[in-house]
Amino acid sequence: MSFADSELELLRRPRRVFTFTIPVIMDSGKVKIFNGYRVQYNDALGPTKGGLRFHPEVNLEEVKTLAFLMALKSALVGIPFGGAKGGIEVDVRELSGKELERLSRGFIREAHPFIGERVDIPAPDVNTDEKIMGYMVDEYSKIKGEFVPGVVTGKPILLGGSLGRTEATALGGSYVLNKYLETIKKEPKDTSVVIQGFGNVGSNIARILHDDGFKILAISDVNGAIYKKEGLDIKEIFSMQTENGVIPNVKKVNKLTNKEMLELDCDVLIPAALSHQIMADNAGNIKAKIILEMANEPVAPNADTILRKKGITVIPDVLANAGGVIVSYFEWVQNTSNNYWSKEKVYKELESRIIEALSLLLEKYNKLDKEEDMRSVAYSIALEKILKAEKFRGRLK
Ligand code: NAD
């Protein structure tokens, strides 16, 4: 698929970029000023949607890229949202609970004229969680003079959060993987898996795939990796979880570094921790046959061609980890209709949406006879939808 220059020009820059300074009264009584950003990249398909991260390295360029990826993700999986992202430059480890609350409320006081349930809907991301979303919905509702739960997603259940949101990203990835393996006629019991990261996404997908009958050869967290040729007992490992993670507590297994673990011989490698784990310098050593990208951009752009030439299939992040944004959309639907769903309904609707997107992607990908990777095909599908919507709006000829 190719696009005209005028079409690409429209998408080369975000529609709206907001930068804020957020003054916070610290526990010491002194005022500290934090920098905040919100980028609404594209709103052709609906209100913009995307996470809000609190991290010392947050910067505008990164926020713009992530906002664009959110626009592609929503378009690909067919939810009526555009893409946004935001963040605050802050090291949350240096803040007390009260300071974190004041910062979260401060963000809403600066951003409230530009966000809203029909405008732009933030959600949790790195170092932001349901507690912070709770403060945010409270602050926004105070300013508006009415309860507006649909202004953010990822909220506590009692404030309008959705059942099933916590495990949604991992569950979506497991639906995609199971369906993809079905199309290549491979059974879970004959499929070995290596998972990097044991946080929300990594631990949930390890549990789900273990229950589905996959052999989990290795898992890792920031402390390193553990490996067992016969497969790890994930249920037992869960019971060893402490505040410092789980990896150091597991005995009678081989210990590896994260780098070594990525290069293990396996059927499926699941990076579920950080960006840019597979780069040009280690892509040549990867022995997995399939990579399921559960983290955002774990395969760096300079590694894609190397992996394709080695015959490794990369199921891209815009599809593999879209379960989170799909269930965020369900949360918003429940908030705006004031009609709350059972967990079974959330799971069923998630499966149907994400499998529909995978089927459409595979139909196009298989026709191209592997001349392009799955990521390029996914991007083309998403861009085509966004550009069509731009034309219907009359913003593009
Ligand atoms: P998390 O903070 O719960 O877990 C992160 C995990 O990565 C932890 O186990 C941590 O120990 C591990 N880790 C940190 N540094 C590491 C390193 N150097 N090497 C190996 N492991 C390391 O985060 P999460 O919510 O599970 O998100 C993981 C990834 O998935 C991120 O890239 C995130 O952007 C992406 N993602 C998450 C969601 C979601 O719903 N949570 C949705 C879409 C994408």
Side-chain angles (χ1 to χ4, degrees):
M1 267 169 255
S2 61
F3 299 99
D5 279 352
S6 57
E7 294 177 330
L8 294 179
E9 190 53 30
L10 186 81
L11 299 180
R12 217 158 256 149
R13 280 162 292 165
R15 282 190 70 78
R16 285 177 288 274
V17 173
F18 302 103
T19 63
F20 319 103
T21 49
I22 307 164
V24 175
I25 302 174
M26 307 302 279
D27 293 347
S28 63
K30 287 197 178 133
V31 174
K32 193 166 171 185
I33 313 281
F34 293 89
N35 293 319
Y37 309 97
R38 186 75 184 165
V39 173
Q40 297 168 352
Y41 204 99
N42 185 274
D43 59 2
L45 290 167
T48 52
K49 176 102 194 74
L52 198 55
R53 61 175 56 178
F54 286 3
H55 196 275
E57 279 151 35
V58 161
N59 63 76
L60 194 51
E61 282 317 301
E62 183 193 55
V63 175
K64 283 183 192 171
T65 307
L66 292 169
F68 181 52
L69 278 179
M70 281 307 298
L72 295 178
K73 200 179 288 187
S74 294
L76 179 70
V77 297
I79 57 178
F81 286 142
K85 202 82 178 187
I88 300 180
E89 279 176 46
V90 58
D91 187 344
V92 288
R93 291 170 306 183
E94 291 172 1
L95 299 190
S96 69
K98 278 287 161 205
E99 289 168 342
L100 189 59
E101 177 178 346
R102 290 195 284 269
L103 179 64
S104 307
R105 291 183 184 278
F107 180 85
I108 292 295
R109 280 197 301 278
E110 299 309 323
H112 79 86
F114 318 112
I115 63 169
E117 63 177 17
R118 306 261 165 204
V119 183
D120 178 23
I121 305 130
D125 195 74
V126 177
N127 294 325
T128 49
D129 56 10
E130 62 168 37
K131 200 167 166 189
I132 289 177
M133 295 304 121
Y135 298 142
M136 289 189 169
V137 81
D138 181 65
E139 192 65 26
Y140 187 81
S141 299
K142 263 195 232 156
I143 293 168
K144 293 291 167 190
E146 59 180 348
F147 185 45
V148 192
V151 68
V152 295
T153 58
K155 300 176 292 291
I157 304 284
L158 287 173
L159 294 184
S162 177
L163 294 170
R165 173 62 187 90
T166 311
E167 64 276 28
T169 304
L171 194 60
S174 76
Y175 290 145
V176 167
L177 180 63
N178 274 299
K179 191 69 183 179
Y180 179 69
L181 292 178
E182 213 179 286
T183 67
I184 58 167
K185 303 199 166 36
K186 198 163 169 62
E187 299 269 337
K189 68 176 171 45
D190 305 320
T191 308
S192 58
V193 180
V194 165
I195 303 172
Q196 184 191 40
F198 208 67
N200 173 304
V201 179
S203 71
N204 274 306
I205 202 161
R207 178 181 54 78
I208 294 166
L209 295 182
H210 186 256
D211 289 350
D212 288 346
F214 288 82
K215 183 153 94 172
I216 314 291
L217 293 183
I219 58 167
S220 77
D221 67 13
V222 68
N223 302 300
I226 52 173
Y227 165 66
K228 195 168 173 186
K229 199 163 69 197
E230 301 77 31
L232 296 163
D233 184 343
I234 296 296
K235 278 213 173 77
E236 189 192 26
I237 288 173
F238 261 90
S239 69
M240 299 175 186
Q241 188 81 263
T242 61
E243 263 194 4
N244 305 326
V246 75
I247 303 299
N249 309 333
V250 190
K251 307 283 177 271
K252 295 194 189 144
V253 287
N254 298 298
K255 305 259 171 173
L256 302 174
T257 64
N258 262 284
K259 188 174 178 301
E260 288 165 338
M261 190 199 72
L262 292 173
E263 298 174 8
L264 283 173
D265 196 355
C266 62
D267 295 306
V268 185
L269 173 62
I270 305 185
L274 309 169
S275 303
H276 293 195
Q277 294 302 290
I278 302 164
M279 318 255 287
D281 61 355
N282 65 346
N285 303 334
I286 302 294
K287 295 180 199 69
K289 295 168 193 73
I290 298 165
I291 298 177
L292 181 73
E293 286 191 316
M294 293 307 294
N296 282 316
E297 227 186 34
V299 173
N302 61 12
D304 266 333
T305 314
I306 303 171
L307 296 174
R308 185 162 58 84
K309 285 192 179 144
K310 280 178 65 108
I312 299 172
T313 303
V314 178
I315 306 180
D317 50 5
V318 280
L319 177 71
N321 71 25
V325 74
I326 294 175
V327 175
S328 280
Y329 164 57
F330 297 162
E331 182 175 332
W332 178 87
V333 168
Q334 293 169 74
N335 296 151
T336 49
S337 62
N338 209 11
N339 177 9
Y340 286 83
W341 301 3
S342 67
K343 195 182 264 193
E344 289 69 35
K345 180 170 162 80
V346 171
Y347 287 1
K348 198 162 149 260
E349 296 281 335
L350 167 61
E351 182 172 15
S352 124
R353 292 241 170 205
I354 207 159
I355 294 304
E356 197 182 318
L358 172 71
S359 305
L360 180 66
L361 172 56
L362 287 181
E363 196 187 308
K364 303 220 170 191
Y365 172 69
N366 290 333
K367 270 194 205 140
L368 293 168
D369 205 19
K370 312 237 159 83
E371 283 158 35
E372 283 191 46
D373 54 34
M374 232 189 253
R375 189 188 317 281
S376 324
V377 181
Y379 281 13
S380 299
I381 294 171
L383 287 173
E384 206 172 350
K385 281 191 197 168
I386 294 171
L387 291 168
K388 262 193 191 151
E390 291 286 8
K391 283 180 192 160
F392 282 130
R393 283 174 181 269
R395 301 198 295 213
L396 198 65
K397 286 279 162 254

